[in-house]
Amino acid sequence: MVVHEREPFNAEPPRTALAGLAETPVDAFYSRNHGPVPDIDPAVWRLRVDGLVEKALELSSDDLRARFDEVEVVATLQCAGNRRAGLIEVRDVPGETAWGPGATATARWSGVRLADVLTEAGAAPTAGHVAFAAPDVSRLADPPQTYGGSIPIVKALRPEVLLAWSMNGRALPRVHGGPLRVVVPGWIGARSVKWLTRITVRAQPSGNYFQATAYRMLPPEADPSKAGPGEGISLGPLALNCDILSPDDGARLCPGPAKITGYALAGDDRTVARVDVSLDAGGSWIQAEVAEAAGPWAWQHWSATLDLPVGDVQIIARAWDCTGAAMPESPAHLWNPKGYANNSWARVRVRCA
Ligand code: MTE
């Protein structure tokens, strides 16, 4: 793993560790934390469900397992800061980590549907949002506070949104949110709150710093240190994205036919329609072969065989979704002061000799 920070722990794998795998092994799954990883004793841990509900609940791990059906969803998580390094090449993003392409990964999550828990609690007709709270305290927040976030009730009631206790068939590791985390497929990773202790049904989105102030896309001229709650675009559904996972950036290859592989992910309620690959800066493209996904919420791997010329070569990939939208060419048009949602064309540079 490339460790960006030890405390809080932030690390991503090299791109090649993600190549070709439907499920990412836990030890290659990126870690994104805003504070110290809490140590929670599952025996004393409880989940509280309150707010605009007919009946507040307090559930232990055993209650969750006994009272609700266990379901499994293969879903890709992607941090809003994934590929920020590409935006930093355009202009610095002070105070934010230069994540490469590895802040995304796919796992088989199992647990219970959030919708089933909300149904048991009886969400009121005035419910608009479902807020999640965790005990990890972030000093990066202003003022320092525990981590939280929310999603609209319409998404919260969808069957793919899980309260997960297992990842790839094993107990959810502590660093990934054990004993229980939210998994919101198709949405930025920030909404998949780890170490979940409280669910509150509300009329409005959560007022937590990580919902109201961070993870919002500000206009390029804004000063994030002066931006108050509610400014900018609140990030939720993921933007269409893709990347080249093999060969690695900077690889040395032989000229001639080479297999290029990567992933594509469309985000909430959209599907990947096509992936194109180019060796001439987008002057001409060939269509990659896109493999079946492991489910509607998982990335799709793609591959293409390209005839690499001698010399320094830039390989480019772009994806299209089912609405006919394509990834934009340049990160220059996407630059924003917190460095979120870089979905410009994927590029790797290789030397063929
Ligand atoms: N939940 C809590 N409690 N604290 C956090 O710092 N980080 C969020 C989300 N949930 C975070 C959290 C972000 S920004 C992302 S991208 C995902 O967790 C990362 O999940 P992972 O570390 O399991 O990959």
Side-chain angles (χ1 to χ4, degrees):
M1 294 291 258
V2 178
V3 177
H4 292 294
E5 268 175 303
R6 293 245 160 240
E7 193 58 66
F9 184 64
N10 283 300
E12 65 179 303
R15 64 175 80 224
T16 49
L18 303 174
L21 299 172
E23 288 169 17
T24 311
V26 169
D27 60 6
F29 204 104
Y30 77 100
S31 277
R32 174 71 181 107
N33 300 297
H34 297 79
V37 172
D39 194 0
I40 299 172
D41 179 354
V44 297
W45 171 90
R46 295 287 181 275
L47 174 65
R48 194 170 159 73
V49 185
D50 59 13
L52 299 172
V53 292
E54 282 162 22
K55 177 176 62 155
L57 307 174
E58 193 168 273
L59 301 163
S60 66
S61 296
D62 288 348
D63 294 334
L64 278 171
R65 285 164 172 79
R67 286 165 49 183
F68 304 96
D69 291 339
E70 182 169 350
V71 289
E72 193 172 83
V73 172
V74 180
T76 301
L77 284 194
Q78 186 160 110
C79 186
N82 187 48
R83 303 185 62 205
R84 181 178 289 128
L87 297 173
I88 291 175
E89 279 177 25
V90 174
R91 186 168 142 196
D92 195 17
V93 178
E96 298 290 336
T97 302
W99 290 92
T104 188
T106 303
R108 189 162 34 91
W109 310 95
S110 57
V112 298
R113 289 191 186 99
L114 172 60
D116 291 351
V117 173
L118 293 174
T119 303
E120 167 114 345
T126 49
H129 296 261
V130 176
F132 310 117
D136 52 318
V137 178
S138 176
R139 301 202 170 280
L140 306 171
D142 183 17
Q145 59 197 271
T146 52
Y147 190 89
S150 63
I151 56 173
I153 187 101
V154 281
K155 179 68 178 176
L157 292 175
R158 299 263 309 233
E160 69 272 11
V161 181
L162 296 192
L163 305 180
W165 58 67
S166 148
M167 185 177 178
N168 295 349
R170 313 266 293 269
L172 185 63
R174 198 180 134 204
V175 73
H176 292 298
L180 193 80
R181 79 175 298 166
V182 188
V183 175
V184 187
W187 281 51
I188 60 163
R191 309 303 174 224
S192 291
V193 174
K194 304 191 273 189
W195 314 294
L196 183 69
T197 50
R198 187 168 176 191
I199 298 172
T200 305
V201 179
R202 301 164 48 100
Q204 301 298 332
S206 164
N208 184 277
Y209 173 83
F210 294 100
Q211 181 72 42
T213 304
Y215 294 104
R216 301 186 78 98
M217 190 173 302
L218 298 169
E221 65 282 2
D223 175 353
S225 67
K226 297 205 178 95
E231 283 183 38
I233 304 164
S234 175
L235 297 172
L238 278 168
L240 168 71
N241 219 331
C242 84
D243 220 324
I244 297 163
L245 298 176
S246 174
D248 206 349
D249 193 41
R252 287 170 177 271
L253 304 173
C254 293
K259 191 172 176 191
I260 315 299
T261 68
Y263 84 87
L265 182 70
D268 202 38
D269 274 339
R270 280 164 284 118
T271 52
V272 173
R274 203 174 84 206
V275 175
D276 303 330
V277 188
S278 175
L279 288 181
D280 59 1
S284 62
W285 300 90
I286 69 151
Q287 286 183 31
E289 209 168 295
V290 182
E292 277 289 296
W297 303 104
W299 58 15
Q300 280 174 268
H301 286 282
W302 55 262
S303 64
T305 300
L306 300 182
D307 201 12
L308 299 180
V310 174
D312 290 333
V313 179
Q314 181 172 219
I315 308 170
I316 297 176
R318 69 173 181 199
W320 298 75
D321 73 17
C322 58
T323 70
M327 289 161 60
E329 175 175 351
S330 166
H333 306 302
L334 298 172
W335 191 93
N336 59 94
K338 299 279 280 179
Y340 296 134
N342 179 11
N343 72 335
S344 59
W345 293 356
R347 296 165 195 266
V348 299
R349 290 153 194 93
V350 297
R351 173 157 291 186
C352 303

